[in-house]
Structure formats: structure tokens, C-alpha cells
Amino acid sequence: MNFYIVDDDPSIPMILRQILEKNPENTVIGIAHEAKKALADIMIMDVDIVLADLLMPGISGIELIKKLKALKPALRAIMISQVKDSDLRAEAYEAGIEFFIDKPINMIEVKTVVEKVSQSVQMATKLNNIQSLVGGGAVATAPVVDQKQQQKEKILSILRFLGITSEAGSSDILAIAQIMLDQNLSFREIDFNAAYHIDDREKKIMFQRIRRAIKTGLTNLANISLDGMGDEIVVEYANTLYEYKNVRSEMLLLEGTRSTGGKTSLKRFFDGLVQEV
């Protein structure tokens, strides 16, 4: 993986570089101490993951990520911060980051977060390769390509908001949603055995991966609501993807006032996800 680190504290990139490059598959290809230089560098570099400080003079880390994601949607971002403000953190997630790494830097936390995001990048790459092969090399018109890319980015933005892009089931969710969109199918109309060339056992394993990811999204959405960030988009996703009563049940479980959390439904989640797209 190629990394770029942005932090106005010169010691932070040095520490992160040492941690990252202990893995021979990782390379830090650039470091900047202010966002303007980082923006110029990253636009001409082959960067997979950027690690950016939240609070920097001039352009903030959040603004930097917004600008980068607008120009390079596939770029993954991790935010570095000692700030615990829930509103700022929510804004950072909405800008498109995958995770936070807290200061002071903890080596285990860095390794864990980076590994999750790296796996997500690898899964997305594999999925793109599979989709290219399935497409059979057919030449599509530019508007169709643009529409598919926009649909994919919308799905990814929802999964990022739910905090599940690094989950093992996220690539399955993306692929299934794309099938539903391309073939104008509801979730229950998909013949998974035929579409994926799998037997019932393999289908069950895939559904288990997806259920775990969706359940994590439900918990994350409930946590966002508990933090007082019950804005319109949270309520919309709660209703469309899970049914709000299940998010409420999960909130009560997290508060310790209920012994069971909310339930998830594959049908509701996928049909709701496609509806949002």
C-alpha cells in the first residue's frame, strides 16, 4: 500500500512512517506538514491511503479530505486527532474518512486500523477486477459508465457513513447492490446460486458475512444517535435500511436498559440501499 501522511507536528509523520514501513508491503511515498502541499502532491501521486491531521492551519484535515475525495473518489482516508468532539468527528466521517487514530499515537491502534483499511482497498480492487471480467470487455457508452460509477460511489458513501467499509461483507454488499441496480431486481428476486456459481453452503457463508457487516452498521448508527447526532440523514438511514424501531432497540441495548438489540433484515437493508441510490 502507498501512504501519504499530513500533519503539522513533524514528529507524527516520523512515528507513523516507522510503524507503517515495518510491514514490507507498505511504503510512505509522501509527507507534508500542511494541507496545501499535500493536495498538490497527492493529485500527481499513486496514493492508496492518506493519513491526515484533523486540525491544521489553513486548510483543515476535513476540508482536505473533501477536496481529495471529490477528485479521487477511490482514495481512502484515516484521520489523526486528539480531539474528542463528536460533531467534528461526525463531520469527518461524512467527509469520507474510514477511521480515526487518536493521539498520542498507539502502535497497536495504528496497525489495526491500517490493516482494516488496507483489506478494504484490496477487496474493492478484487471486486473491480471481477466486475471487469463479468462485463466481458464490452464497450459501454460514457454516460452508462458515469452512472455506474456514481451509483457505486453512493453505495460506498452509505457504507462509509455506517462505518462498515472495512467489514468482510462490504464487498458482497456492493456487488449485490450493483446486480440489483443493473438488472432492476429486488433482493428476493436474485438467484444467488446462479449469479455467483455457488452452492447453498457457500451462499449461507456469504450471507453470514453480510449479516455481520449489517449488524455492525446498525450498532454504529445507534451509537451516532446516542451521541446526539440524530440529524435527517441518520433518521433516513435508520428508517430505510433498518426500520427505526430496530435502531431504537439497539440504542437501548447500548444504554443498558434493554437485554436485546435491534434486528436486521437482508431484504430491508438491500432494498433500502438500492432505494437510496
Side-chain angles (χ1 to χ4, degrees), residues 14-256:
M14 290 175 59
I15 296 169
L16 288 172
R17 182 173 212 156
Q18 289 175 355
I19 296 171
L20 291 169
E21 292 190 340
K22 282 185 178 180
N23 182 339
E25 295 182 356
N26 294 337
T27 304
V28 176
I29 62 173
I31 288 174
H33 302 304
E34 49 93 20
K36 189 174 181 181
K37 180 181 185 302
L39 184 61
D41 285 350
I42 294 170
M43 292 318 300
I44 60 172
M45 289 180 170
D46 183 19
V47 179
D48 297 304
I49 302 171
V50 58
L51 293 91
D53 188 20
L54 175 63
L55 300 178
M56 293 186 288
I59 302 173
S60 71
I62 291 174
E63 288 304 313
L64 172 64
I65 298 306
K66 285 180 180 178
K67 291 176 184 290
L68 288 172
K69 295 291 286 186
L71 297 167
K72 285 191 166 187
L75 186 71
R76 303 304 175 97
I78 299 169
M79 194 67 80
I80 314 161
S81 178
Q82 59 187 9
V83 176
K84 303 294 184 183
D85 183 273
S86 59
D87 290 336
L88 272 178
R89 290 197 168 218
E91 188 179 349
Y93 280 115
E94 288 173 6
I97 74 158
E98 308 283 335
F99 288 98
F100 266 93
I101 290 175
D102 292 320
K103 294 181 181 179
I105 299 298
N106 178 287
M107 183 173 67
I108 295 175
E109 181 186 21
V110 173
K111 285 183 176 180
T112 302
V113 167
V114 166
E115 184 179 344
K116 286 185 176 182
V117 178
S118 297
Q119 288 173 350
S120 180
V121 172
Q122 291 165 353
M123 284 191 290
T125 301
K126 287 179 182 178
L127 179 60
N128 285 334
N129 291 339
I130 291 169
Q131 288 176 330
S132 297
L133 290 172
V134 171
V139 178
T141 61
V144 172
V145 173
D146 289 345
Q147 183 185 36
K148 284 193 174 184
Q149 184 61 31
Q150 288 171 2
Q151 290 172 342
K152 180 180 175 182
E153 287 305 318
K154 176 62 177 176
I155 295 167
L156 284 171
S157 73
I158 294 172
L159 300 187
R160 276 195 295 268
F161 187 87
L162 296 175
I164 59 175
T165 52
S166 63
E167 294 292 319
S170 64
S171 59
D172 298 307
I173 292 172
L174 186 59
I176 291 169
Q178 198 64 62
I179 290 173
M180 293 170 66
L181 288 163
D182 291 346
Q183 301 181 28
N184 194 26
L185 298 174
S186 68
F187 179 76
R188 285 185 175 167
E189 289 175 326
I190 300 174
D191 184 344
F192 288 96
N193 301 83
Y196 282 86
H197 305 289
I198 56 177
D199 57 27
D200 288 339
R201 176 181 167 277
E202 292 168 318
K203 175 183 171 183
K204 182 179 179 181
I205 292 170
M206 180 176 71
F207 278 14
Q208 286 174 339
R209 282 198 305 268
I210 295 169
R211 284 194 179 94
R212 282 195 293 268
I214 291 174
K215 177 62 176 178
T216 299
L218 173 63
T219 303
N220 291 340
L221 202 58
N223 268 312
I224 292 172
S225 298
L226 284 174
D227 287 338
M229 293 177 282
D231 58 15
E232 289 182 5
I233 193 167
V234 172
V235 174
E236 181 179 341
Y237 288 167
N239 281 321
T240 307
L241 304 176
Y242 294 103
E243 194 173 7
Y244 188 79
K245 68 178 183 180
N246 289 308
V247 178
R248 180 61 182 163
S249 295
E250 193 73 11
M251 290 167 64
L252 295 174
L253 174 67
L254 293 171
E255 288 179 323

